[in-house]
Amino acid sequence: MTQDVEMKELPAPSNSASSSPPSTLHHLKEIASLIETGAYAREVRRIVRVVRLTLALRQKLNAQVLSAFLNFTLTPGSELHSRLSSYLPKEDEHDMDVDTATSAIQTPAKHSLPELEVYCYLLVLIFLIDQKRYNEAKACASASIARLKNVNRRTVDVLASRLYFYYSLSYELTGDLAEIRGNLLALHRIATLRHDELGQETLLNLLLRNYLHYNLYDQAEKLRSKAPRFEAHSNQQFCRYLFYLGKIRTIQLEYTDAKESLLQAARKAPVSALGFRVQCNKWAIIVRLLLGEIPERTVFMQKGMEKALRPYFELTNAVRIGDLELFRNVADKFSSTFNSDRTHNLIVRLRHNVIRTGLRNISISYSRISLADVAKKLRLDSANPVADAESIVSKAIRDGAIDATIDHENGWMVSKETGDIYSTNEPQFAFNSRIAFCLNMHNEAVRALRFPPNSHKEKESAEKRRERQQQEQELAKHIAEEDDDEF
Amino acid sequence: MDPKLTEVSQLFERFKAAFVRHDFDTCDSLLSQLKVLLTHFRSLPPLFEDTPNAIHELTLARDIYEHAVVLSVKIEDQDAFERDFFQLKPYYTDAGNRLPPSLQEYPILGLNLLRLLVQNRIAEFHTELELLSPTALENPCIKHAVELEQSFMEGAYNRVLTARQTVPDDTYVYFMDLLAKTVR
């Protein structure tokens, strides 16, 4: 009931206000009313919509509109109002006055909903970041976080998680991310205590990002493994989580898991998040190379990524051919790119894969080759290439990378003939694993089907009700008949 | 000067003297006394309180732990090495910007890398490696460990064996011997 009343009441002021300044302010006011309804009805869904609508407006925000909006929602002269408007540049005083006058008349009752307060913080913060005034953004963000710590309402959670994000972003842009680590940890704790799952998710990601920014993989992994996990609420946050997870796994040499999470992150990411997907792809390519796979050409030719992935394409090429010289050249040529992507150490690890591939190529093409030639072909540059080649070849044989033997006396590497693979059980195994994969996929799909809650229950109860009514009627009839009999 | 600080410095002088004499038993007992005394300083990690002679205390504590790490190598105790190294690490990472850099930093970081390599903890090896700056990677002590790891992965064991002759610091010999044993 209350909700209906609200709905009727609120559109009125925003409609009349739309006449003077056209789009943006009007939209903002509509959003504000949406927040109010959401807050009163305790509907988180509405607040989520608010955030989405705000992001659409982001381009159009300017100081004038913002201060008008602040005047509209907050009591002019209150502490919060004066603090927030101090962040905005003063211009066009005259224009604004007219505007505030009209809106003040239209909404005499001033709202002091925490949701609206938080929303105002959010707007101003976004505006400041867009204007590249990071120091002010930092101050604003810190003030908002201090306010948030005292508010415990489910409807604020969505807005709060956005605020956390911009809070961290403003500190990252000024380069003192380490400062807020303690604060973020405290916020994460608060969110956990309040069962604010979205907040936990966001904060966990921010913390991981914070740690990874300083290459503190150890701490990141410890935090990640201890923090509670639950079903993802927001796709974006889940993607980020997967990406950070992939990075940590890569550093800790768990390539198979890393590949899985990186590829999943790249696939789940929205199409518009090009930068994120490029990053994911870069890491995924390296991980796949480290695993000894060669990514397909289509990976590098994805729309909008050709240029960014170019260094990695050439790197892949070098690994594929197994040419150490070429590999070294590529690594040198793009070393600045690799350094800024922080993948340099991973690329150093790749060297050994290059040697492997080169060796495999040699073992395929020659049935018998002297170790000196192997060293020459791999272009090993060391004092004693033959001895090097000997130990490298023997390790490769031991690890099962090539199927060969070493004739130590003559200094030869003898490759074994590769038999007909179709005469072995190999195709059967491959086929089996594919079938297992398909069956698994099917099972998971069935499990992931969602049914709207209570839909079948209600139907049942309706039937039951009808039955019950019928029984009651019959009973009543019986009683009536009995009554008749008595008289 | 703070009486406690004087006491610690005097004890540390005695420790150093014993260290030079290669009297490792005395060193060990002095070291445990020193560690207990260090807990009285409030400027050290994890508290990091800003006391008047914080810089002096931090430098002294770092010196003590550096010696402790080297001592543990000398008495060939890997567990003690790990413990002491983790105690030392905050001085490099968290207090690094307040103190003058230590000459011992890179050799000790290199030693730690080598230890991880010897104990075959490659994942941790790479995690540590990520923490190092490009300039640190250029340092001969650390480069040594990194190159060793590469030769290991490639399987160029003979290079590992020859690397023993080119150690940058004589404390490395202990780990190199262990490594050589594993290789054989």
Side-chain angles (χ1 to χ4, degrees):
Chain A
M1 258 331 265
T2 48
Q3 191 194 338
D4 281 356
V5 176
E6 290 292 337
M7 295 273 248
K8 273 172 212 153
E9 245 174 35
L10 282 164
S14 50
N15 278 346
S16 52
S18 65
S19 53
S20 42
S23 56
T24 321
L25 185 58
H26 170 59
H27 281 305
L28 281 178
K29 283 178 182 170
E30 267 182 359
I31 289 174
S33 69
L34 201 60
I35 293 180
E36 278 181 8
T37 30
Y40 282 124
R42 307 206 175 285
E43 279 188 90
V44 180
R45 186 172 48 85
R46 281 176 202 276
I47 310 283
V48 176
R49 232 182 97 207
V50 165
V51 173
R52 220 174 28 237
L53 287 174
T54 314
L55 291 184
L57 283 181
R58 189 172 171 173
Q59 305 292 331
K60 298 185 208 146
L61 287 181
N62 58 39
Q64 194 190 335
V65 170
L66 264 183
S67 53
F69 179 69
L70 288 184
N71 288 330
F72 170 71
T73 47
L74 307 167
T75 329
S78 72
E79 192 207 351
L80 180 67
H81 179 268
S82 52
R83 192 189 304 153
L84 281 180
S85 29
S86 72
Y87 295 123
L88 302 171
K90 290 273 174 285
E91 48 187 75
D92 276 352
E93 283 286 344
H94 181 71
D95 230 28
M96 248 160 48
D97 281 345
V98 177
D99 193 42
T100 50
T102 49
S103 59
I105 294 161
Q106 278 154 1
T107 52
K110 284 293 171 187
H111 343 275
S112 58
L113 276 176
E115 281 84 356
L116 273 180
E117 272 180 43
V118 172
Y119 182 68
C120 292
Y121 270 121
L122 184 63
L123 269 186
V124 175
L125 189 55
I126 292 178
F127 169 73
L128 287 176
I129 288 178
D130 283 348
Q131 298 284 310
K132 305 211 180 345
R133 288 159 50 190
Y134 300 130
N135 282 321
E136 280 153 316
K138 255 163 73 177
C140 176
S142 307
S144 69
I145 295 295
R147 173 84 183 91
L148 268 180
K149 279 184 181 169
N150 301 320
V151 184
N152 184 8
R153 290 172 78 142
R154 288 293 69 74
T155 37
V156 182
D157 288 351
V158 183
L159 293 173
S161 67
R162 299 304 302 168
L163 261 183
Y164 298 146
F165 174 74
Y166 287 112
Y167 173 58
S168 169
L169 182 67
S170 62
Y171 274 82
E172 189 180 341
L173 290 171
T174 46
D176 13 50
L177 215 45
E179 261 176 46
I180 58 166
R181 199 178 296 151
N183 236 336
L184 285 179
L185 280 169
L187 285 172
H188 186 260
R189 201 164 50 228
I190 293 174
T192 314
L193 289 176
R194 288 176 182 169
H195 298 286
D196 169 9
E197 295 192 345
L198 188 66
Q200 282 181 55
E201 223 173 37
T202 318
L203 285 166
L204 180 64
N205 278 337
L206 291 177
L207 277 166
L208 287 181
R209 183 183 180 83
N210 202 320
Y211 283 131
L212 295 189
H213 189 81
Y214 294 98
N215 281 340
L216 296 166
Y217 287 93
D218 208 18
Q219 280 94 324
E221 168 61 19
K222 278 182 185 141
L223 173 73
R224 190 201 62 77
S225 56
K226 301 280 188 302
R229 281 300 298 160
F230 28 78
E231 216 177 307
H233 283 258
S234 141
N235 185 35
Q236 284 96 320
Q237 296 300 340
F238 189 52
C239 285
R240 288 201 186 107
Y241 177 76
L242 282 174
F243 177 56
Y244 298 140
L245 181 64
K247 266 177 135 177
I248 296 174
R249 291 266 163 81
T250 315
I251 297 300
Q252 304 201 324
L253 301 141
E254 294 165 33
Y255 297 136
T256 327
D257 294 341
K259 178 186 146 201
E260 213 165 275
S261 20
L262 285 171
L263 285 181
Q264 204 181 347
R267 229 172 278 148
K268 266 186 190 283
V271 184
S272 53
L274 186 68
F276 180 79
R277 281 193 301 140
V278 169
Q279 279 293 326
C280 281
N281 271 312
K282 281 178 183 171
W283 279 76
I285 287 166
I286 292 194
V287 169
R288 291 180 72 178
L289 286 177
L290 282 167
L291 273 171
E293 297 173 19
I294 303 295
E296 309 82 22
R297 194 170 265 268
T298 47
V299 172
F300 301 99
M301 296 301 151
Q302 292 176 66
K303 215 175 156 209
M305 295 193 199
E306 295 98 336
K307 206 165 159 232
L309 293 181
R310 185 82 208 161
Y312 293 88
F313 177 65
E314 292 194 14
L315 195 71
T316 310
N317 214 11
V319 177
R320 191 173 58 85
I321 300 170
D323 186 343
L324 264 187
E325 192 69 32
L326 185 63
F327 174 72
R328 211 171 295 137
N329 285 343
V330 173
D332 285 346
K333 191 169 146 200
F334 296 108
S335 65
S336 59
T337 323
F338 294 144
N339 268 331
S340 64
D341 288 346
R342 305 211 214 166
T343 46
H344 189 258
N345 283 336
L346 296 176
I347 287 167
V348 172
R349 284 190 214 172
L350 263 181
R351 196 184 122 87
H352 131 85
N353 282 56
V354 180
I355 293 179
R356 266 299 144 75
T357 341
L359 205 57
R360 202 176 300 145
N361 285 345
I362 291 173
S363 111
I364 289 170
S365 27
Y366 297 88
S367 63
R368 192 199 300 161
I369 183 169
S370 77
L371 288 172
D373 284 343
V374 172
K376 212 190 288 167
K377 278 197 180 298
L378 290 178
R379 302 197 212 185
L380 298 171
D381 52 343
S382 66
N384 193 356
V386 180
D388 265 6
E390 189 172 343
S391 44
I392 288 173
V393 169
S394 53
K395 180 145 194 278
I397 293 172
R398 211 189 71 95
D399 291 351
I402 52 173
D403 201 7
T405 48
I406 294 183
D407 189 342
H408 286 285
E409 274 165 30
N410 297 324
W412 286 335
M413 175 179 104
V414 184
S415 307
K416 284 194 189 122
E417 289 295 313
T418 45
D420 180 13
I421 202 164
Y422 285 98
S423 64
T424 63
N425 273 341
E426 204 59 37
Q428 212 174 325
F429 288 135
F431 197 47
N432 180 39
S433 73
R434 279 178 211 178
I435 291 176
F437 175 77
C438 289
L439 287 176
N440 227 346
M441 174 83 96
H442 175 256
N443 283 344
E444 269 172 25
V446 169
R447 223 174 292 149
L449 281 180
R450 273 199 197 162
F451 301 100
N454 292 334
S455 63
H456 70 288
K457 220 193 247 169
E458 248 168 37
K459 213 159 83 194
E460 217 172 51
S461 70
E463 269 169 29
K464 268 189 187 154
R465 203 187 307 134
R466 213 179 305 133
E467 245 171 61
R468 207 179 53 232
Q469 278 171 349
Q470 225 168 10
Q471 277 177 353
E472 275 170 12
Q473 274 176 1
E474 274 173 28
L475 206 66
K477 224 184 266 170
H478 272 294
I479 292 171
E481 275 169 18
E482 273 169 28
D483 281 354
D484 282 344
D485 286 348
E486 267 178 34
F487 283 108
Chain B
M1 203 176 186
D2 192 18
K4 267 191 209 150
L5 199 58
T6 346
E7 193 189 342
V8 173
S9 332
Q10 277 168 1
L11 209 57
F12 187 44
E13 286 307 319
R14 278 173 58 200
F15 170 82
K16 272 201 260 191
F19 190 77
V20 174
R21 286 201 311 274
H22 293 272
D23 182 1
F24 295 135
D25 290 335
T26 328
C27 280
D28 214 23
S29 63
L30 282 174
L31 185 65
S32 39
Q33 284 177 44
L34 276 172
K35 281 185 185 167
V36 173
L37 283 173
L38 281 182
T39 53
H40 295 299
F41 292 146
R42 301 190 65 78
S43 64
L44 302 186
L47 288 170
F48 277 127
E49 272 175 33
D50 216 0
T51 49
N53 35 18
I55 301 285
H56 196 100
E57 286 170 11
L58 281 171
T59 327
L60 187 63
R62 189 180 65 183
D63 243 17
I64 291 173
Y65 283 122
E66 275 172 358
H67 276 82
V69 169
V70 179
L71 175 71
S72 64
V73 178
K74 291 257 160 91
I75 57 175
E76 312 195 343
D77 184 349
Q78 291 186 26
D79 292 338
F81 181 94
E82 189 170 353
R83 266 198 314 276
D84 290 332
F85 179 77
F86 279 128
Q87 274 176 318
L88 179 61
K89 216 175 155 194
Y91 294 93
Y92 293 143
T93 51
D94 297 349
N97 44 10
R98 293 202 284 163
L99 299 179
S102 155
L103 283 177
Q104 286 290 309
E105 179 169 353
Y106 290 137
I108 285 182
L109 288 178
L111 266 179
N112 184 47
L113 288 176
L114 211 54
R115 172 185 67 90
L116 291 173
L117 204 57
V118 169
Q119 297 175 341
N120 203 15
R121 285 149 72 174
I122 306 292
E124 282 169 64
F125 178 90
H126 283 288
T127 318
E128 288 288 322
L129 207 57
E130 285 296 317
L131 281 173
L132 299 172
S133 62
T135 45
L137 290 178
E138 289 302 312
N139 186 281
C141 299
I142 288 170
K143 216 169 177 185
H144 181 73
V146 174
E147 276 170 7
L148 268 180
E149 195 263 352
Q150 273 182 29
S151 333
F152 240 121
M153 290 303 285
E154 286 162 23
Y157 293 127
N158 55 325
R159 230 183 284 164
V160 177
L161 294 179
T162 50
R164 196 189 169 284
Q165 272 98 54
T166 58
V167 284
D169 196 290
D170 56 344
T171 43
Y172 280 55
V173 172
Y174 163 59
F175 282 124
M176 289 308 297
D177 286 345
L178 280 181
L179 210 56
K181 226 180 272 169
T182 343
V183 169
R184 289 210 183 93

